[in-house]
Each structure stands twice: as structure tokens, then as C-alpha cells.
């Protein structure tokens, strides 16, 4: 059931993004910002935690999960470091994921040859 919940949640988030692309004039970049911002707001308010508990990776892997991780990291760092934690917490919480994305993107660029679109 865990896999089904993750698939359902992640699929619904992706389907919503596709509907926004197809039916509105929002650009993918604006939708990305909306997803991350929604994750920060819902994560900061504590509501996103319920979705993470239910859907697991289906809630943490999409862009809303990145926003949730930013909010959670900032909240925890504020408890430990005070106001300074609001600035360093999100970056520290997401540093591993960002570093992995950069590394694997670089690795893919080395292994595969880019070709122009026609």
C-alpha cells in the first residue's frame, strides 16, 4: 500500500502540473516556483507532514517536497541557532540533494553527447 500511496500522490502532483501547463498561460518556471512555494508554506505550517507520512517519497520527491525540506530545515535551525538559522537552515537541509543533482548532471554530460534539436 505504501508504493500505491506514493504513486498516487506523486502522480497527482505531476498531473496537476501538466494540467496547469496545458490549460493556463503559466510557464513551467512559474509552476516550479508555485510548487516550491506551496511546499514551503505547507511545510512551515506543519500540514505537509501529514502528506509525507501518508505518501512517503510521493510527497518528498516532487518540487513541493523540496519546499517542504527547505521549511523543515529552516525551522529546525531556528530552534538551534536562533534567527541566523532562518537563513542557513534551508540551505543546509537541501545541500545534499542539490550537490547530487549537480554531480549526476555533470556525469550525464560527460557520458552522453548533446545534439541540437531539429
Amino acid at each position: 500500500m505504501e508504493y500505491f500511496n506514493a504513486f498516487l500522490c506523486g502522480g497527482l502532483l505531476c498531473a496537476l502540473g501538466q494540467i496547469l501547463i496545458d490549460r493556463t498561460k503559466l510557464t513551467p518556471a512559474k509552476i516550479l516556483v508555485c510548487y516550491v512555494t506551496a511546499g514551503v508554506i505547507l511545510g512551515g505550517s506543519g500540514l505537509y507532514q501529514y502528506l509525507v507520512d501518508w505518501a512517503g517519497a510521493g510527497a518528498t520527491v516532487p518540487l513541493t517536497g523540496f519546499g517542504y525540506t527547505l521549511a523543515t530545515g529552516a525551522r529546525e535551525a531556528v530552534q538551534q541557532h536562533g534567527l541566523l538559522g532562518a537563513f542557513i537552515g534551508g540551505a543546509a537541509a537541501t545541500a545534499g540533494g542539490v550537490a547530487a543533482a549537480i554531480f549526476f548532471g555533470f556525469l550525464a554530460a560527460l557520458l552522453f553527447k548533446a545534439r541540437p534539436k531539429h
Side-chain angles (χ1 to χ4, degrees):
M1 195 63 170
E2 207 174 306
Y3 293 124
F4 177 76
N5 291 347
F7 177 79
L8 183 66
C9 179
L12 287 174
L13 286 170
C14 291
L16 176 62
Q18 189 63 50
I19 290 168
L20 289 172
I21 289 171
D22 292 343
R23 307 249 179 200
T24 68
K25 293 185 178 188
L26 292 173
T27 64
K30 289 180 182 178
I31 295 168
L32 177 146
V33 170
C34 289
Y35 268 41
V36 173
T37 303
V40 168
I41 292 169
L42 293 172
S45 66
L47 296 174
Y48 204 77
Q49 184 61 47
Y50 296 111
L51 190 60
V52 169
D53 293 341
W54 179 74
T60 57
V61 171
L63 289 170
T64 50
F66 182 73
Y68 162 76
T69 304
L70 285 171
T72 303
R75 187 176 344 129
E76 291 173 0
V78 165
Q79 291 173 351
Q80 292 177 349
H81 305 289
L83 184 59
L84 180 63
F87 300 103
I88 63 172
T94 58
V98 172
I102 292 169
F103 173 75
F104 288 114
F106 179 71
L107 190 62
L110 290 176
L111 295 176
F112 300 101
K113 183 178 179 183
R115 53 185 175 191
K117 292 183 178 180
H118 295 296

